[in-house]
Amino acid sequence: MARAKAQIPPAAIVAGKPTVAIVGRPNVGKSTLFNRLVGGRRAIVEDVAGTTRDRLYGEARLGRLAFRVIDTGGLEPAAAEGYPALIRLQVEVAVAEADAIVFLVDADTGLTSADEEVSQLLRERSDKPVVLVANKADNATRREATAEFHRLALGEAIAISAYHDMGLADLGDRLESLLPEVAEEEAPGALRLAIVGRPNVGKSALVNAILGQERVLVSAEPGTTRDAVDTELEYEGQSLVLIDTAGIRRRGKVGRGVEKYSVMRAQEALERADVGLLVLDASEGVAAQDLHIAGYVADAYKGLIVVINKWDLMEDTQEEREEFAEDVLGRLKFAPWAPLAFVSAKTGLNVDGLIELALEVGEVRSQRVATAGLNTLVQKTIAAHRPSGKGKRVPRIRYATQTSISPPTFVFFVNDASLIHFSYRRYLENAIRKQFGFEGTAIRLVFRSRDEE
Ligand code: GDP
Ligand code: GDP
């Protein structure tokens, strides 16, 4: 498998800090506040496609609090759509990405109808905490005047002056009370591998081969379902859990329903797993049921490795492997990203390699792509081939962001999600994979439309 991870420059991977988004109509001082919060930490200047500013994101610090900040004022909807679209886009991005939203108003000009619009949108769209902040409260008179923002029904505004660096400690205190506690570099949990496949392909032999080698067995206890067994082990300092469905068949008289039953069990095991190891028997090749299970893995957005077991029965040449791979991938059309591992549970051939591959897929699943790079790619991809519309309706993709990992999930903000054709989804997915890798795992693309134009 290609080292997908290495294709992303380190700066593109962002840490799991809480995120604060600044929203508000133009000229209230969003960018001034952003710069104040980010302070000297402005080492990276990114040219962000689809925005008016160099930087939308920054690492911020207020007192003890460290967080990521987003200046939504730099977002730029398609030119013709004007101001209401701008505000909506800001709010949508803020709601999707932030743990808390700073709604900035201007104590100099006072309350405007545009503020009311932002306030209403925030109420309609967001369940995130909103902090009302009145900027440009440079002196006592303006600080007193902030009382009128009460009418936005968001509580008392925190009066600040971003320009003169006043009131920011109050803002810090409020944010600290609202933001989730983020454990420093949270230790990732054990990677969960489900070993699935038809009866007799060698699942239990494989589990034994994995466990049999000189590894520390941490514990072996019954899984959460009575039918699958979870075994925790350590491989070169990394924790793994094997979810093993092998023993099932032997437990009851399953009889004729065995195939269907094992698919059901596989699904249960996969639900609790990060990566599915779909075991095939090299002497038999791919069966319909294997495709069924692989399809389930893809639909559940899990990682998938196709394990070609009993390779000791084959002639182990490059040519043979390539031929086999071609056959398997030709049938697994919906998961062209799944790597193959040629192993023998009997001789131990490549069993270590399989575990290393699984750990790699686990890492790929927790990879994060920076929003700036993602948007640059998306804009380029769209420019190369624009989505076709339905009649007069033309799909417009404004902004994309990776909202989560395991599975890697990308949200696209579009005018109307129903206009995005399946083939265009594929096209975007392929572009993301080409640039950022994600080999070995399904990725999720979500298209979110606005209610109205
Ligand atoms: P944005 O469009 O919301 O990002 O607003 P900007 O950050 O570009 O600021 C708009 C204008 O307000 C600029 O001329 C800033 O210098 C000014 N400004 C920002 N913060 C303050 C402040 O705290 N006090 C005063 N008096 N002016 C400010
Ligand atoms: P399961 O039903 O998928 O758990 O399959 P088992 O692990 O019980 O294996 C089924 C049969 O295949 C047994 O007779 C094993 O000895 C045999 N087997 C398993 N792995 C290998 C292998 O790598 N090479 C060979 N030649 N036989 C294997």
Side-chain angles (χ1 to χ4, degrees):
M1 171 167 125
R3 297 291 180 275
K5 212 179 28 168
Q7 292 172 13
I8 301 193
I13 316 263
V14 293
K17 286 194 189 129
T19 301
V20 173
I22 309 172
V23 302
R25 62 180 177 80
N27 270 319
V28 295
K30 293 184 295 301
S31 143
T32 308
L33 176 59
F34 174 87
N35 288 334
R36 176 69 67 194
L37 292 172
V38 171
R41 288 168 291 279
R42 300 223 275 153
I44 319 153
V45 174
E46 296 162 283
D47 186 9
V48 186
T51 72
T52 57
R53 297 183 189 177
D54 285 354
R55 299 203 59 221
L56 283 180
Y57 286 81
E59 298 289 322
R61 193 171 277 280
L62 259 184
R64 287 175 306 156
L65 190 66
F67 57 95
R68 294 169 69 217
V69 61
I70 307 175
D71 172 9
T72 66
L75 295 168
E76 193 179 49
E81 295 175 292
Y83 177 70
L86 171 71
I87 296 281
R88 270 202 302 271
L89 183 58
Q90 281 188 14
V91 169
E92 276 166 23
V93 168
V95 170
E97 296 217 42
D99 299 295
I101 297 169
V102 166
F103 172 20
L104 205 60
V105 292
D106 185 332
D108 184 16
T109 52
L111 185 61
T112 69
S113 59
D115 295 331
E116 311 252 16
E117 278 168 40
V118 175
S119 167
Q120 193 183 338
L121 267 178
L122 283 171
R123 261 198 308 275
E124 285 169 9
R125 300 294 177 92
S126 173
D127 50 3
K128 303 280 168 73
V130 175
V131 183
L132 180 63
V133 177
N135 187 36
K136 308 193 192 177
D138 303 347
N139 52 46
T141 318
R142 285 199 193 159
R143 274 195 296 279
E144 276 155 31
T146 62
E148 73 166 320
F149 294 111
H150 240 121
R151 285 180 15 221
L152 292 170
L154 287 165
E156 198 178 324
I158 297 176
I160 67 162
S161 169
Y163 192 82
H164 297 288
D165 197 2
M166 285 161 28
L168 291 168
D170 292 346
L171 176 58
D173 289 346
R174 177 72 72 84
L175 288 175
E176 199 174 340
S177 72
L178 293 172
L179 289 174
E181 290 267 338
V182 179
E184 285 292 322
E185 281 307 302
E186 206 176 316
L191 184 71
R192 305 175 66 83
L193 309 177
I195 302 189
V196 296
R198 284 176 292 130
N200 280 318
V201 293
K203 293 184 297 301
S204 25
L206 184 62
V207 169
N208 290 338
I210 293 172
L211 297 178
Q213 304 186 7
E214 68 311 344
R215 294 190 186 100
V216 191
L217 181 65
V218 179
S219 68
E221 48 190 59
T224 52
T225 69
R226 252 185 299 137
D227 288 325
V229 176
D230 290 3
T231 308
E232 207 178 320
L233 66 137
E234 237 167 62
Y235 180 81
E236 293 181 352
Q238 289 180 272
S239 303
L240 289 165
V241 174
L242 297 184
I243 305 170
D244 168 20
T245 57
I248 295 160
R249 178 171 47 99
R250 296 177 192 85
R251 258 178 228 149
K253 280 188 232 129
V254 184
R256 282 189 307 145
V258 64
E259 296 273 299
K260 210 171 158 197
Y261 186 74
S262 62
V263 171
M264 225 171 68
R265 285 293 166 265
Q267 287 191 355
E268 257 172 35
L270 284 165
E271 241 151 61
R272 300 189 292 121
D274 302 301
V275 182
L277 306 189
L278 174 60
V279 184
L280 306 182
D281 181 331
S283 59
E284 291 177 356
V286 184
Q289 194 197 329
D290 300 323
L291 297 179
H292 193 144
I293 294 178
Y296 177 79
V297 175
D299 289 347
Y301 302 108
K302 304 288 184 177
L304 174 64
I305 296 172
V306 181
V307 182
I308 321 294
N309 188 35
K310 308 196 189 179
W311 198 246
D312 58 290
L313 299 176
M314 312 298 279
E315 201 191 332
D316 188 15
T317 62
Q318 188 61 24
E319 212 181 355
E320 187 79 2
R321 287 187 182 210
E322 275 167 16
E323 206 172 293
F324 205 98
E326 204 174 301
D327 179 49
V328 171
L329 291 175
R331 305 195 59 188
L332 280 177
K333 286 221 168 61
F334 50 89
W337 40 261
L340 269 57
F342 295 90
V343 310
S344 167
K346 190 174 170 189
T347 67
L349 170 78
N350 200 28
V351 171
D352 277 338
L354 172 62
I355 297 298
E356 273 157 27
L357 183 59
L359 287 167
E360 231 170 88
V361 171
E363 260 178 61
V364 164
R365 279 174 65 76
S366 29
Q367 176 177 278
R368 263 185 201 275
V369 171
T371 305
L374 178 64
N375 279 282
T376 305
L377 171 73
V378 167
Q379 296 303 333
K380 229 171 51 195
T381 307
I382 295 170
H385 171 48
R386 295 190 181 278
S388 50
K390 285 181 189 149
K392 280 197 181 133
R393 306 269 297 152
V394 180
R396 283 209 189 84
I397 299 171
R398 300 190 164 82
Y399 182 77
T401 180
Q402 182 179 352
T403 53
S404 51
I405 57 169
S406 304
T409 303
F410 299 87
V411 174
F412 289 77
F413 293 97
V414 296
N415 55 339
D416 180 351
S418 71
L419 295 174
I420 305 288
H421 193 265
F422 175 76
S423 60
Y424 205 75
R425 242 170 220 267
R426 264 283 165 82
Y427 171 65
L428 289 170
E429 173 169 346
N430 289 341
I432 289 176
R433 287 184 178 281
K434 199 162 165 218
Q435 175 96 4
F436 301 112
F438 292 107
E439 266 170 283
T441 184
I443 63 176
R444 209 171 145 222
L445 271 55
V446 178
F447 293 82
R448 199 169 285 165
S449 33
R450 292 214 203 114
D451 296 344
E452 55 205 329
E453 256 309 283

